[in-house]
Amino acid sequence: MDQEEERQAVLDVKAGATDRFALLVDAHKGALFNLAWRMTGSRSDAEDLVQEIFVRAFRNLGSFDAEKRFFPWLYTIGINLIRSRLKAVSRRRRVLQDQEKEGAKEASPEEAFLAKERADQVQAALLKLNTGQREALLLRYSQGLTYDEIADILRISNSAAKMRAARGLDRLRSILPETLLDKG
């Protein structure tokens, strides 16, 4: 969904065509799930959070400025809810072992196992970062957002967004085995 289609869907929902909200959900649910899963380490928590994010977005859509991009606004809601959830569960996070890397079905069993093992190691390392670094890294490298967008979502300066991402990368490099980083 391009930015203009997204804007039109928002305007339609604001005008009463609430069924058009499904287009926004379909366009962003995967990215929000990925963000929530990587932030919490829990598939079930991520699923719950994604639902809650969309409920809040729907309820607050009236306050959204349709001249701005919907995606960063939605992510701001998501980040705030995820932060609240992380605080509520205090440091109890668990790493799921059932995530499969996309495309693993086409790989040999050995390649699939190694890809899963690498993904699990990266996920475990991400969970060792502080919340700010993890947020910045995931928004930058998993979601492909600019530092300006990250700064807007996290309500920090552009330089703080860059610093969090850089420190997060440095910390990941110190946690992960060098051989894993070489395989990317």
Side-chain angles (χ1 to χ4, degrees), residues 21 25 28-37 43-57 74 77-78 81-82 85:
F21 194 74
V25 171
H28 300 296
K29 66 183 175 188
L32 285 173
F33 175 82
N34 187 42
L35 175 67
W37 181 81
R43 182 174 297 278
S44 63
D45 284 349
E47 289 168 353
D48 291 346
L49 281 163
V50 169
Q51 287 181 357
E52 193 173 342
I53 291 165
F54 282 115
V55 167
R56 291 230 181 139
L74 182 65
I77 292 170
L81 282 171
I82 292 166
R85 177 70 56 95

Side-chain angles (χ1 to χ4, degrees), residues 4-16:
E4 183 53 37
E5 291 172 316
E6 189 174 78
R7 189 178 83 74
Q8 188 57 53
V10 168
L11 291 173
D12 292 346
V13 174
K14 283 181 149 190

Side-chain angles (χ1 to χ4, degrees), residues 2 10 18-19 39 54 61 63 78 80 93 109 114 121 124 128 132 142 148 159 165 168 177 181:
D2 68 27
V10 168
T18 57
D19 60 317
M39 289 297 295
F54 282 115
L61 199 58
S63 66
N80 289 335
R93 297 181 209 127
L114 292 174
Q121 288 177 328
K128 291 179 182 177
S142 180
D148 287 334
S159 60
L181 292 174

Side-chain angles (χ1 to χ4, degrees), residues 155-173:
R155 294 188 173 119
I156 58 176
S157 68
N158 182 292
S159 60
K162 289 178 183 177
M163 184 62 69
R164 284 186 187 182
R167 287 183 177 161
L169 280 175
D170 288 345
R171 179 89 170 103
L172 278 180
R173 286 184 182 109

Side-chain angles (χ1 to χ4, degrees), residues 172-184:
L172 278 180
R173 286 184 182 109
S174 72
I175 295 169
L176 292 171
E178 195 169 312
T179 55
L180 181 66
L181 292 174
D182 292 338
K183 293 180 182 180

